[in-house]
Amino acid sequence: MTLPEYPEDKTCRVRIVNDKAVNRDGEYILHWMTTARRCRFNHALDRSVAWAKFLNKPLLICEALGLGHRWASARFHSFISAGMLDNHSFSSVAGVEYYPYVEREPGAGKGLIKALSRNACVVVTDDWPCFITPKIVEAAGRQSEVHMEAVDGAGLLPVSKVPKVFSRAFHFRNWHQKNLHEHLEHFSSADPLKGLSGGIAVDSEILSTWNPVSIDELSEPAKWISELPIDQEVAEVRIHPGGSVEASRRLASFVENILDRYGEDRNHPDRVATSTLSPYLHFGHISSQEIYQEATEADAGENGDAFIDQLITWRELGLNYCHYHEEVDSWSSLPEWARKTMEEHAGDLRPVTYSLEQLEAAETHDEIWNAAQRQLKGEGLIHNYLRMLWGKKILEWSPHPKDALEVMVHLNNRWALDGRDPNSYSGITWCLGRYDRAWGPERPIFGKIRYMSSENTARKLRIKPYLQQWGEENLFSR
Ligand SMILES: Cc1cc2nc3c(=O)[nH]c(=O)nc-3n(C[C@H](O)[C@H](O)[C@H](O)COP(=O)(O)OP(=O)(O)OC[C@H]3O[C@@H](n4cnc5c(N)ncnc54)[C@H](O)[C@@H]3O)c2cc1C
């Protein structure tokens, strides 16, 4: 009987990244944690564990945090380092070796994966269809000295199993309602590290070249983060601390206290009726599977369905687009009808225009917009309804719609805790017509793009409490 060469994959999520051989004499399975930064409900970690059991080797988890990516800031570093502390606790309870590394100077982390792969049997990492991850995975595949796999744990559906790009939400909803069930049979494990053995001594030369960040440093990150050459103006958001423990706490509280009124209340910023889980999903501190499981078990009727629809239809529509298109933030990625109508109106007189600096500083004539921008800068999030208005107004006030796209990408990705995500691009481009249809009457500047106004928003929503919190007169009392 010949033994199988690889552990079986029933999930359809595993992608082989290079053509290098498995080193059966290696010392460990290297799990390189990059986007699914959690030790629970994690398909990539399940795969590493499957390899560890298959080859009867211990597991080494390396979670690294680089400096060199666009929009790196104290805000994102604080959030991620809180997650590293949780991952350290989970792995030490399980007795699994955890290697947290933070780059202190640009380029200092280069070579770490190559060095660690030298003593590995196999390298397993996360697949994620957006931002810098696809390029990093391909480069790591070349550098790794052994067989490397990338595992897609981004959503409930493996992105490669969605057969085409869906341009409207209802078409995608119809499709996944028929196809999701088969992927729900292969949920990731709630406690993948249970029963694994540790006992790895990482090469001392590697440890001295790429010094792991200590537990004391992870417990008190403010000082060392403040010394890093990253955007320090974008500061930590204390009310949204990172980590998988906080993510699970939020999920439990949301399901217990909010889910059964989600559908009715979610569009009202004053009612605190959404989960605020988007940053945790973005940094992989929680899995959409865990959220799905908790929300369906709560049996919250139409409200539960409304929430799950956001989680699957809208969230995975963004993943779907990124999987098929690299240029997610380019003008040419917008639907043809939308580009045409905006270009036809590009020369329309704009009663007011604002520069990026004015917008970033929340210095417009529109108090609702300014409040939303201040919330983005202060808390790293804007309520979804106001986020739509925020984007539409940037279109209205930009000299050209192409400028609007650039400004939205910059402001959102620099300040939003959930920025640089597939949903960032789907939300921003929705404001410019993606996933939407042409609307009448045709208007100046917008053409056939759906229009939104602050006046209407003020009529529809109870906006006063929001303005009390984020209006200018309160700036100095916060
Ligand atoms: C201009 C603009 C920019 C946006 N930028 C981002 C971004 O950078 N990152 C981001 O995650 N989302 C973005 N969105 C989508 C949406 O605003 C957020 O996902 C949502 O507000 C997150 O809040 P929540 O976690 O409380 O959502 P909940 O209402 O609790 O929903 C649960 C989850 O479902 C998903 N979801 C909910 N609403 C949407 C939506 N409209 N589109 C896609 N997924 C959704 C999110 O993953 C969310 O965490 C943007 C929308 C717009 C209009």
Side-chain angles (χ1 to χ4, degrees):
M1 190 178 78
T2 50
L3 288 170
E5 216 181 329
Y6 296 163
E8 191 184 4
D9 167 40
K10 288 187 179 157
T11 65
C12 307
R13 291 172 185 270
V14 177
R15 181 169 70 86
I16 295 175
V17 176
N18 61 16
D19 56 7
K20 303 197 179 147
V22 174
N23 175 12
R24 283 162 199 273
D25 299 325
E27 289 172 24
Y28 46 75
I29 307 302
L30 175 60
H31 181 83
W32 182 31
M33 188 178 265
T34 59
T35 56
R37 293 176 179 267
R38 59 179 179 269
C39 293
R40 314 175 61 231
F41 293 103
N42 182 335
H43 280 288
L45 206 49
D46 284 354
R47 182 67 181 169
S48 289
V49 169
W51 269 111
K53 291 181 176 162
F54 187 75
L55 296 177
N56 197 20
K57 300 280 178 173
L59 179 64
L60 170 63
I61 301 173
C62 175
E63 182 175 7
L65 173 53
L67 281 175
H69 48 272
R70 197 169 171 205
W71 299 298
S73 66
R75 178 165 296 181
F76 301 145
H77 267 60
S78 304
F79 199 89
I80 294 171
S81 69
M84 288 171 124
L85 189 60
D86 287 346
N87 289 335
H88 175 267
S89 307
F90 278 113
S91 356
S92 46
V93 167
V96 167
E97 192 71 27
Y98 175 69
Y99 186 154
Y101 173 74
V102 174
E103 193 173 45
R104 309 290 172 137
E105 285 162 26
K110 226 172 159 189
L112 172 60
I113 291 308
K114 185 176 173 64
L116 284 173
S117 76
R118 243 167 245 145
N119 293 333
C121 307
V122 169
V123 180
V124 177
T125 192
D126 301 308
D127 228 356
W128 175 253
C130 189
F131 197 47
I132 49 177
T133 308
K135 286 202 172 91
I136 289 189
V137 170
E138 293 320 307
R142 287 191 296 276
Q143 284 157 23
S144 169
E145 304 212 344
V146 294
H147 175 81
M148 178 165 159
E149 296 177 348
V151 182
D152 163 22
L156 286 150
L157 291 156
V159 286
S160 63
K161 289 290 152 193
V162 183
K164 60 173 186 170
V165 181
F166 283 91
S167 56
R168 298 299 299 274
F170 59 86
H171 291 142
F172 180 52
R173 186 177 296 113
N174 283 343
W175 182 86
H176 77 63
Q177 281 171 350
K178 292 187 202 107
N179 293 281
L180 178 65
H181 61 95
E182 60 183 282
H183 300 290
L184 297 179
E185 285 165 22
H186 304 294
F187 250 46
S188 48
S189 160
D191 191 4
L193 301 183
K194 200 172 164 192
L196 284 185
S197 58
I200 303 164
V202 177
D203 190 323
S204 58
E205 213 172 291
I206 295 180
L207 291 173
S208 64
T209 311
W210 294 280
N211 241 305
V213 58
S214 72
I215 298 320
D216 288 348
E217 286 174 304
L218 288 176
S219 307
E220 294 286 337
K223 180 156 188 316
W224 59 264
I225 289 179
S226 74
E227 289 162 359
L228 296 175
I230 51 179
D231 188 344
Q232 297 289 346
E233 193 191 337
V234 181
E236 179 191 3
V237 179
R238 295 242 166 94
I239 59 157
H240 300 304
S244 49
V245 173
E246 173 64 17
S248 296
R249 191 199 63 73
R250 270 176 199 230
L251 173 61
S253 162
F254 171 75
V255 169
E256 166 113 25
N257 304 311
I258 299 177
L259 184 61
D260 63 4
R261 59 182 173 85
Y262 176 83
E264 293 120 56
D265 287 356
R266 64 179 285 265
N267 277 334
H268 295 275
D270 58 311
R271 291 189 196 156
V272 189
T274 69
S275 67
T276 63
L277 284 170
S278 55
Y280 302 87
L281 279 162
H282 172 68
F283 287 108
H285 289 167
I286 197 162
S287 147
S288 60
Q289 293 193 356
E290 182 177 2
I291 301 176
Y292 175 85
Q293 188 167 296
E294 295 294 315
T296 43
E297 277 171 13
D299 209 4
E302 285 180 5
N303 287 299
D305 293 345
F307 176 71
I308 285 166
D309 190 52
Q310 294 299 319
L311 185 72
I312 305 179
T313 307
W314 282 100
R315 179 168 183 270
E316 303 212 3
L317 206 49
L319 292 167
N320 167 246
Y321 195 87
C322 288
H323 176 66
Y324 284 102
H325 292 275
E326 221 176 286
E327 303 289 315
V328 281
D329 57 352
S330 69
W331 178 254
S332 61
S333 74
L334 294 170
E336 201 186 333
W337 71 265
R339 274 181 282 139
K340 183 166 177 286
T341 192
M342 283 187 283
E343 267 157 8
E344 280 166 3
H345 288 270
D348 291 357
L349 179 73
R350 272 118 171 104
V352 278
T353 56
Y354 293 109
S355 65
L356 170 63
E357 291 70 28
Q358 287 170 308
L359 292 168
E360 193 149 25
E363 284 170 359
T364 77
H365 65 279
D366 182 326
E367 237 347 271
I368 298 181
W369 193 92
N370 291 346
Q373 173 64 17
R374 284 191 204 106
Q375 187 190 13
L376 176 64
K377 289 176 76 176
E379 289 189 350
L381 292 176
I382 313 179
H383 184 276
N384 182 54
Y385 192 94
L386 294 173
R387 217 166 186 177
M388 296 191 279
L389 177 72
W390 176 87
K392 293 286 183 186
K393 287 279 144 188
I394 293 178
L395 170 61
E396 189 175 329
W397 298 332
S398 293
H400 191 281
K402 287 183 183 171
D403 301 325
L405 176 57
E406 266 180 42
V407 165
M408 276 192 263
V409 168
H410 172 76
L411 292 181
N412 188 82
N413 287 355
R414 181 173 183 219
W415 295 98
L417 263 176
D418 58 8
R420 312 171 306 168
D421 189 87
N423 277 351
S424 315
Y425 301 105
S426 50
I428 288 166
T429 54
W430 175 86
C431 297
L432 304 176
R434 184 178 293 158
Y435 304 128
D436 210 355
R437 63 171 170 86
W439 288 75
E442 196 160 342
R443 293 172 183 271
I445 305 173
F446 283 77
K448 295 175 189 160
I449 298 287
R450 184 198 296 249
Y451 177 73
M452 282 176 79
S453 77
S454 301
E455 294 70 29
N456 235 340
T457 304
R459 268 194 296 276
K460 270 190 174 163
L461 309 181
R462 276 200 333 128
I463 209 74
K464 237 181 166 177
Y466 186 74
L467 290 181
Q468 271 163 1
Q469 192 183 358
W470 293 104
E472 190 166 25
E473 65 274 21
N474 290 304
L475 271 184
F476 301 103
S477 57
R478 276 202 291 277

